[in-house]
Amino acid sequence: IFRNKVTAKTAFLFILPQYNVSVPTADSETVHYHYGPKDLVTILFYIFITIILHAVVQEYILDKISKRLHLSKVKHSKFNESGQLVVFHLSSVIWCFYVVVTEGYLTNPRSLWEDYPHVYLPFQVKFFYLCQLAYWLHALPELYFQKVRKEEIPRQLQYICLYLVHIAGAYLLNLSRLGLILLLLQYSTEFLFHTARLFYFADENNEKLFNAWAAVFGVTRLFILTLAVLAIGFGLARMENQAFDPERGNFNTLLCRLCVLLLVCAAQAWLMWRFIHSQLRHWREYWNEQSAKRRVPAVPRLPARLIKRESGYHENGVVKAENGTSPRTKKLKSP
């Protein structure tokens, strides 16, 4: 339903008709949007766009690099995964940071919970969420197209579902502002991790970026938990509108806040547990290698000079001459 003029940029990016509710603001050219059923059609359209971009990055960038590195099948699969995610996380971090800065969410943290529910979204916020949902939904069929090993499928499905639940939850519960900040923190950490993996595949002795990622990972988990508790546990709890009203997009009740906080805390605890488990396994493997090297006995050195016996030397029980040939036995003459 159009209630104001739509700019050419908006009409170009939103190719399919998905406008649900738009409200004019003080600026006559500014239009805000609301989510609705037509978003599913738009997400489906951008899933196909994402699949095409995925194939372009794979064919023209990753395949050419992997051929030069001569990786094994296991490393080749992980290299393709990290390469795709580096491109996605880098573009998402830049885009998300631009949206957060232009909308003023960083300079005014109280805007994360003030004026809730945030039903009407700016164009760039809505478009960002639709593209994020399209990307993580496209990752499901890509598991088949990329011929991912069966052992890797459960791990990748866990991460895909985790992102889908959090992004869709922030979008549908009108927590889009908080979701942008949390995604910015999470994507920055993931970008550093997959960049470290790419450098490791190029040179296995290069592990400095992994150490930097390990330090940033724990700090990011702390920031995400603190921000979620501050915005949901304290900010929304002090708002006046505490009624459950899905028609107006208001989900600010005690039960909803507890469920959201429980989901965020459980996800961060699960990620931290996997991180600690992987670090302990890595350290255990490292110390096992070091102890194995210490147990290996020193190889005895061969003598520099071979002892000569009977104008030659013995080799495998046979007397050899100086030039390496076996001496001929003398024939006895018959009397």
Side-chain angles (χ1 to χ4, degrees), residues 104-114 177 181 227 230-231:
Y105 300 151
L106 282 181
T107 57
N108 185 19
R110 296 178 63 89
S111 62
L112 299 180
W113 60 83
E114 285 183 345
R177 299 180 183 180
I181 304 297
L227 190 59
L230 178 64

Side-chain angles (χ1 to χ4, degrees), residues 104-210:
Y105 300 151
L106 282 181
T107 57
N108 185 19
R110 296 178 63 89
S111 62
L112 299 180
W113 60 83
E114 285 183 345
D115 300 328
Y116 181 85
H118 307 138
V119 179
Y120 302 113
L121 305 176
F123 165 74
Q124 57 182 354
V125 176
K126 180 180 176 65
F127 187 52
F128 177 81
Y129 271 96
L130 293 181
C131 290
Q132 293 296 313
L133 292 172
Y135 178 86
W136 291 110
L137 285 174
H138 113 281
L140 295 174
E142 283 294 339
L143 295 177
Y144 173 77
F145 295 146
Q146 294 293 326
K147 297 180 180 179
V148 179
R149 296 184 307 159
K150 294 182 179 180
E151 298 81 5
E152 293 290 327
I153 290 179
R155 179 185 63 83
Q156 295 195 23
L157 281 177
Q158 290 175 354
Y159 280 99
I160 292 172
C161 295
L162 193 64
Y163 276 112
L164 285 174
V165 169
H166 281 75
I167 295 173
Y171 185 63
L172 297 176
L173 296 178
N174 297 316
L175 296 171
S176 56
R177 299 180 183 180
L178 178 62
L180 285 173
I181 304 297
L182 299 185
L183 280 177
L184 179 61
L185 294 173
Q186 177 65 23
Y187 283 168
S188 300
T189 308
E190 290 295 311
F191 169 73
L192 183 59
F193 169 73
H194 290 288
T195 303
R197 273 221 301 190
L198 291 181
F199 278 98
Y200 175 77
F201 290 142
D203 183 9
E204 294 186 355
N205 296 323
N206 191 351
E207 296 185 356
K208 295 181 179 179
L209 283 179
F210 278 116

